[in-house]
Amino acid sequence: NINILIVADSFNYNCGVSKHLYYLIKELPPDINIYLLIPDGTAIELLKSIRVKYFIEPSLSYQKRDFPNLLKAIFSIYRYAKNLNIDIIHSHNYYAANASGIVGNLSNIETVQTIHSYFKRKGFLRKYFADCYILVNELLYDKAKKEKEFSERRMKVIHNGVDINHINKVRTADIKNGKLNLLAASRLIYQKGVQTVIEAFSLLSIEDREKINFQIAGTGDYKPELEKYAIEKGVNAIFLDEVSDMSSLFLSCDIFVFSSYTDGLPMALLEAGAHECFIITSDFEGILSIFRPGLDGFIYEKYSAKQLADAIIRVLKLDDERQKYIDSFKTILNERFASGMMAGNTYKYYMEIIK
């Protein structure tokens, strides 16, 4: 059997990387022993339902990163790697990648880093620190190739995936009392753009606002600012905090707005589409590699509340025609973004690496 140590920043309900890891671990074949090393997480209970052994190491927290904690993280990863006879250390953020890369160099263990989104380097840590790299879309691949510290020796594009076949097919979304459910769900930080959704809602006419139940799911440091902003804009948004059962929430959703200013291949967007929500998305870099505006849903310029408001109004006017957009995007998900396909490609890459 092959032993894989996955190292990540957290394991939370409303976190795209956490959901990616859930599907990956769930779908990998049984001849791989999977170990997960994380600093904390609100969704740890989910790990009990899949085939993984997990360990808590607080020094791996990106929020608490400093030189003493980096040293602790390196020592912890080294200890687990040796005790568990690890073949590959697979990291999922750049802080974890730096600690894992150093351990790999010291112990001659192969390292893999998944690049989930593009970001600018901060501080002394390297953006890319591994023997091999997985990029979740083609745009990230092209950008990474231009980075001086990035090695092209071994790299592969493997799209994120969702488990479409096991979704509860009973949708509860319905026009009740003449209203549609509109949802924005993400970590509540500035870069996720939820403030643009609030501003867009404020631009709607009173008549159109009364046709919509507006919900925001997620937690984060920016939440108090968003609550204050909603009040200032006179927007009646329901803040749901962190939701443990996102599947049920998606099934009750008619319109999903993905508002991030920057992303890679967002799990929230894929899951919303798999649950047959109508998609309105920002034009973050890379979106056109997975989403066809006008066929799979609507798109708007990521900072433009006016364009988003116009898109919401267009959806309100579609009525029964919404389903053709929903079906179109779901076909794309089945063909290119199934979790079994994602896990299968990752398994093949592991095999290539350890040969």
Side-chain angles (χ1 to χ4, degrees):
N1 284 7
I2 301 163
N3 298 318
I4 307 293
L5 178 62
I6 295 175
V7 186
D9 178 49
S10 62
F11 195 80
N12 296 324
Y13 285 112
N14 298 145
C15 169
V17 174
S18 299
K19 188 53 68 77
H20 164 84
L21 291 176
Y22 174 80
Y23 285 129
L24 175 63
I25 294 168
K26 180 181 177 183
E27 298 278 2
L28 281 170
D31 61 332
I32 290 186
N33 295 320
I34 308 163
Y35 304 93
L36 177 64
L37 189 59
I38 50 175
D40 55 29
T42 58
I44 289 177
E45 190 68 24
L46 286 178
L47 296 174
K48 297 176 183 179
S49 66
I50 56 178
R51 190 181 52 84
V52 63
K53 293 182 179 178
Y54 66 90
F55 309 96
I56 303 299
E57 175 46 61
S59 64
L60 281 168
S61 171
Y62 175 81
Q63 300 299 327
K64 299 177 181 178
R65 66 193 185 282
D66 56 25
F67 190 70
N69 269 328
L70 178 60
L71 291 178
K72 291 178 183 177
I74 292 169
F75 177 77
S76 180
I77 295 171
Y78 182 87
R79 177 165 52 89
Y80 281 110
K82 285 300 183 181
N83 291 343
L84 298 170
N85 195 26
I86 294 299
D87 298 293
I88 295 174
I89 305 173
H90 188 170
S91 61
H92 285 266
N93 77 330
Y94 83 102
Y95 177 57
N98 276 259
S100 301
I102 292 171
V103 172
N105 289 342
L106 292 173
S107 57
N108 199 31
I109 297 174
E110 293 280 0
T111 55
V112 179
Q113 180 182 356
T114 291
I115 312 298
H116 289 277
S117 63
Y118 184 78
F119 57 91
K120 294 181 179 180
R121 178 178 175 175
K122 296 180 181 179
F124 65 91
L125 296 176
R126 292 167 54 177
K127 286 170 66 174
Y128 309 109
F129 199 149
D131 300 310
C132 308
Y133 301 93
I134 294 174
L135 298 305
V136 299
N137 70 28
E138 290 76 10
L139 179 70
L140 291 174
Y141 179 95
D142 292 337
K143 283 182 174 291
K145 285 196 300 183
K146 298 175 183 178
E147 297 283 348
K148 292 180 180 179
E149 62 182 324
F150 184 79
S151 169
E152 289 188 57
R153 186 168 66 88
R154 284 191 283 184
M155 52 190 273
K156 198 173 194 69
V157 174
I158 301 178
H159 295 139
N160 289 342
V162 289
D163 186 5
I164 298 173
N165 295 327
H166 291 88
I167 290 174
N168 178 0
K169 300 297 183 182
V170 180
R171 283 184 53 77
T172 57
D174 223 330
I175 298 181
K176 297 175 181 177
N177 301 320
K179 293 192 175 186
L180 296 174
N181 293 323
L182 184 148
L183 174 67
S186 69
R187 285 183 297 128
L188 299 185
I189 58 177
Y190 176 81
Q191 294 86 343
K192 293 300 182 180
V194 176
Q195 59 273 13
T196 302
V197 189
I198 293 172
E199 183 180 356
F201 198 86
S202 74
L203 297 177
L204 299 177
S205 67
I206 295 176
E207 181 182 359
D208 284 336
R209 286 199 213 184
E210 290 178 348
K211 297 176 183 177
I212 299 170
N213 292 314
F214 179 21
Q215 297 177 313
I216 298 171
T219 59
D221 295 339
Y222 203 57
K223 182 183 176 184
E225 294 295 325
L226 292 172
E227 291 176 322
K228 180 180 177 182
Y229 189 56
I231 293 171
E232 289 175 355
K233 288 291 185 179
V235 170
N236 184 23
I238 302 170
F239 285 82
L240 301 176
D241 293 323
E242 188 165 51
V243 177
S244 60
D245 185 2
M246 282 302 298
S247 183
S248 293
L249 184 60
F250 281 131
L251 288 169
S252 70
C253 167
D254 298 286
I255 306 167
F256 179 75
V257 178
F258 185 79
S259 55
S260 186
Y261 299 148
T262 179
D263 220 294
L265 207 170
M267 291 297 298
L269 189 150
L270 300 184
E271 285 204 295
H275 286 81
E276 300 188 6
C277 307
F278 188 99
I279 303 296
I280 303 176
T281 177
S282 68
D283 64 344
F284 66 90
E285 283 191 301
I287 181 59
L288 295 182
S289 67
I290 61 174
F291 187 85
R292 300 167 301 175
L295 293 176
D296 303 328
F298 297 155
I299 198 168
Y300 69 96
E301 291 182 10
K302 57 189 174 185
Y303 297 109
S304 176
K306 175 65 167 58
Q307 284 194 16
L308 175 53
D310 289 343
I312 294 171
I313 293 169
R314 288 175 64 194
V315 178
L316 291 177
K317 293 178 179 179
L318 285 176
D319 294 326
D320 294 339
E321 293 183 35
R322 290 197 307 273
Q323 193 61 43
K324 71 177 183 180
Y325 295 89
I326 291 168
D327 292 341
S328 176
F329 189 44
K330 196 165 184 181
T331 298
I332 295 295
L333 295 179
N334 272 307
E335 292 175 351
R336 299 180 56 202
F337 303 108
S339 57
M341 185 184 304
M342 176 262 293
N345 289 333
T346 304
Y347 176 77
K348 291 177 184 177
Y349 198 38
Y350 286 159
M351 296 301 102
E352 293 174 16
I353 291 168
I354 63 174
K355 283 184 179 178

